[in-house]
């Protein structure tokens, strides 16, 4: 062993003694913390940097390598923790965005359902109004048809009565003129028959019209 190697060996031994409390703290306290706890990573990185520096100064390659490895491990864990934190933040933001979208979709669905219910209610109200108006119009048409039928029936009765009166008048006139000439009597009788036939035809037409109006009214009421 060279003369210069002795002081370095002494220093390395002294450093091991000085480092023992630090190692004890790491084993008894720091090791119980979470592997990615910021305080533990800071402590281990500081201890690794110290070992790497002292090992390089004292020519202790084993100590230097161990310190570098501890430093790299601490840096890697710190980086992983940072990435995890970023990922957690992104997940939280994504969850918040997803919740906002879901809430918006629920609100839009609720609004759409309310609008649909309002449209249905309005449509029902419109249908009821139209039904009411149709019933009123049907009632008016029925009343008008009944009135017209009554008027036609009254007119028909009036025509029939008038025809009867005319017929009776003609009969009475014929009786008074019974003594008239045979040719005139025949002529008058023929004229009376023609008038009676026309009157009956008219009465039949009026009756058919009244029956048709009555059937139409009954159909509208049904």
């Amino acid at each position: 062993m060279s003369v210069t190697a002795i002081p370095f060996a002494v220093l390395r031994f002294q450093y091991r003694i000085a480092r023992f409390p630090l190692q004890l703290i790491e084993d008894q306290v720091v090791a119980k913390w979470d592997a990615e706890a910021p305080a533990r990573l800071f402590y281990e990185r500081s201890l690794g940097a110290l070992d790497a520096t002292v090992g390089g100064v004292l020519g202790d390659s084993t100590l230097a390598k161990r310190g570098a490895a501890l430093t790299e491990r601490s840096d890697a864990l710190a980086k992983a923790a940072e990435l995890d934190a970023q990922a957690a933040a992104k997940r939280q933001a994504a969850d918040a965005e997803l919740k906002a979208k879901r809430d918006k979709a629920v609100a839009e669905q609720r609004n759409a359902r309310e609008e649909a219910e309002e449209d249905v209610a309005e449509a029902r109200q419109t249908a009821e109004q139209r039904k009411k108006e149709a019933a009123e119009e049907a009632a008016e048409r029925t009343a008008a048809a009944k009135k017209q039928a009554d008027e036609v029936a009254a007119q028909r009765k009036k025509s029939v009565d008038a025809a009867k009166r005319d017929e009776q008048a003609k009969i009475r006139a014929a009786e008074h003129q019974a003594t008239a000439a045979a040719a005139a009597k025949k002529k008058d009788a023929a004229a009376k028959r023609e008038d009676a036939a026309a009157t009956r035809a008219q009465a039949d037409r009026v009756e058919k019209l009244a029956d048709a109006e009555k059937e139409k009214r009954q159909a509208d009421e049904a």
Side-chain angles (χ1 to χ4, degrees):
M1 178 180 296
S2 63
V3 176
T4 57
I6 295 175
F8 285 106
V10 173
L11 290 175
R12 286 195 293 269
F13 178 75
Q14 290 177 348
Y15 176 72
R16 290 191 183 95
I17 295 174
R19 189 184 182 285
F20 180 77
L22 299 177
Q23 185 65 42
L24 183 63
I25 292 173
E26 181 180 8
D27 295 338
Q28 298 296 324
V29 180
V30 178
K32 296 179 181 180
W33 296 347
D34 185 76
E36 296 181 359
R40 177 174 179 175
L41 294 176
F42 176 77
Y43 182 85
E44 290 180 348
R45 189 181 189 288
S46 299
L47 186 60
L50 180 62
D51 287 344
T53 302
V54 173
V57 172
L58 299 181
D60 190 341
S61 60
T62 302
L63 182 62
K65 289 179 180 179
R66 185 177 65 188
L70 184 60
T71 301
E72 291 177 0
R73 175 181 177 277
S74 300
D75 289 342
L77 291 176
K79 183 64 175 177
E82 181 181 358
L83 293 176
D84 287 342
Q86 292 177 357
K90 290 181 179 180
R91 285 195 301 271
Q92 185 177 3
D95 292 341
E97 183 179 1
L98 179 60
K99 184 179 182 300
K101 290 182 178 179
R102 287 178 177 174
D103 293 342
K104 181 179 178 182
V106 171
E108 291 177 351
Q109 185 178 8
R110 182 174 60 252
N111 294 334
R113 184 172 59 254
E114 292 176 353
E115 291 178 358
E117 291 176 352
E118 291 177 357
D119 292 340
V120 170
E122 184 177 356
R124 288 178 178 173
Q125 184 177 2
T126 302
E128 290 296 331
Q129 183 64 27
R130 290 180 178 176
K131 182 179 179 180
K132 181 180 179 181
E133 293 175 354
E136 292 176 353
E137 291 178 359
E140 292 177 357
R141 288 195 300 269
T142 301
K146 184 177 181 300
K147 181 180 179 181
Q148 184 178 3
D150 292 341
E151 291 176 353
V152 172
Q155 183 65 31
R156 172 191 166 197
K157 187 176 182 299
K158 186 184 294 184
S159 299
V160 171
D161 292 342
K164 287 181 179 180
R165 287 192 299 270
D166 291 343
E167 183 70 16
Q168 290 174 359
K170 291 176 181 179
I171 293 173
R172 285 192 299 268
E175 289 176 353
H176 291 308
Q177 297 175 359
T179 57
K185 184 178 181 180
K186 289 181 179 181
K187 182 178 180 180
D188 290 339
K192 291 177 182 179
R193 285 195 297 271
E194 290 177 358
D195 291 339
T199 301
R200 283 192 294 273
Q202 182 181 359
D204 291 338
R205 288 194 298 271
V206 172
E207 184 177 3
K208 290 180 180 179
L209 178 61
D211 292 338
E213 291 295 333
K214 183 178 181 181
E215 291 176 357
K216 179 181 181 182
R217 182 184 62 192
Q218 292 176 350
D220 292 339
E221 291 178 351

